[in-house]
Amino acid sequence: MIKPCINRWLIIACLLNHSVGYAQEAAFSYVEEARGVTQQFQQTLKQELQAAIKTGGLKKAVDVCSVRAPKVAEKMAAETGWTIGRTSLKTRNQNNIPTAQEKTILEEFESRKSAGEDLAEMEWWQQQGTNMRYMKAIPMKGLCLSCHGTKVDASLKNHIKELYPRDTAIGFKADDIRGAFTLQKFIELSNGQIIK
């Protein structure tokens, strides 16, 4: 009498473990997707910035960040289903001020950096119900220091202030955390399972 009961509970436990494993695997596939979208967005922005600098110098690059970056994000969102943005603890564009959750994650990124974690690998993700969130740290590198570093040309600084009167995104050093790419996607669920 006891044996069939034990077998039944073992089968249920196995099925539950399989369901959890499937959900984790499906969630991870969204993380992989978010990584790809982030990389594509980053590369597209970099190419546009480099082209702008060649034709019009750093002031033109600032204009690209101001005008083109949101349009690139909108185009990619339409193509991928992911809303794409950038945020930071020190913002230039007021539209990029972090939410309470993003601020917490950015502060955690700073702690993780202090503990020695590689910025190139630093990310965070969370799936809550139908909402998938992903954030990837943006390291401060060479070219970006021209507009965000400790020694910004006075003329360029004035141009930045014209576009962004409440700019605080300055004073960074190489390998600081500039901020993060932040992505969000609403996913479909079936019987509590993520559909991929």
Side-chain angles (χ1 to χ4, degrees):
M1 294 293 285
I2 295 173
K3 219 173 195 177
C5 183
I6 291 171
N7 288 340
R8 193 173 309 124
W9 284 112
L10 283 173
I11 290 167
I12 291 168
C14 286
L15 288 172
L16 286 172
N17 282 337
H18 176 74
S19 296
V20 170
Y22 174 79
Q24 288 174 338
E25 186 179 313
F28 189 70
S29 69
Y30 279 104
V31 174
E32 287 289 314
E33 188 180 309
R35 287 174 181 155
V37 171
T38 301
Q39 187 176 26
Q40 184 185 347
F41 181 59
Q42 188 172 21
Q43 287 175 345
T44 303
L45 286 184
K46 185 178 179 181
Q47 289 167 359
E48 293 217 11
L49 284 169
Q50 288 172 337
I53 289 168
K54 280 183 181 177
T55 59
L58 289 170
K59 286 184 180 180
K60 186 81 176 278
V62 172
D63 295 341
V64 165
C65 280
S66 174
V67 177
R68 285 292 302 146
K71 290 181 179 177
V72 171
E74 284 175 22
K75 182 175 183 289
M76 287 189 64
E79 293 169 354
T80 66
W82 288 90
T83 58
I84 307 162
R86 293 170 297 163
T87 190
S88 177
L89 294 174
K90 293 167 66 175
T91 55
R92 176 153 285 174
N93 187 332
Q94 294 298 295
N95 294 330
N96 296 340
I97 291 173
T99 64
Q101 184 183 39
E102 288 170 342
K103 185 175 184 289
T104 298
I105 302 307
L106 288 165
E107 288 167 348
E108 286 177 11
F109 281 177
E110 291 290 351
S111 297
R112 288 163 62 181
K113 178 183 180 290
S114 296
E117 187 173 337
D118 184 0
L119 278 182
E121 304 297 323
M122 195 176 293
E123 62 182 358
W124 168 91
W125 64 274
Q126 180 183 66
Q127 186 257 318
Q128 285 187 316
T130 60
N131 190 15
M132 177 64 72
R133 300 291 312 271
Y134 176 84
M135 288 178 69
K136 176 88 168 83
I138 304 171
M140 178 56 65
K141 294 293 181 186
L143 184 61
C144 298
L145 289 167
S146 301
C147 297
H148 295 283
T150 55
K151 296 178 182 176
V152 178
D153 175 79
S155 173
L156 179 60
K157 195 182 284 188
N158 289 336
H159 183 66
I160 291 168
K161 282 290 182 187
E162 286 173 15
L163 292 171
Y164 305 104
R166 290 186 280 174
D167 173 43
T168 60
I170 203 161
F172 288 96
K173 298 184 294 295
D175 298 320
D176 281 349
I177 297 176
R178 166 65 187 95
F181 295 105
T182 177
L183 283 72
Q184 181 172 320
K185 186 172 191 174
F186 290 97
I187 55 181
E188 296 180 32
L189 297 178
S190 173
N191 298 325
Q193 301 297 316
I194 302 172
I195 296 175
K196 178 67 179 152

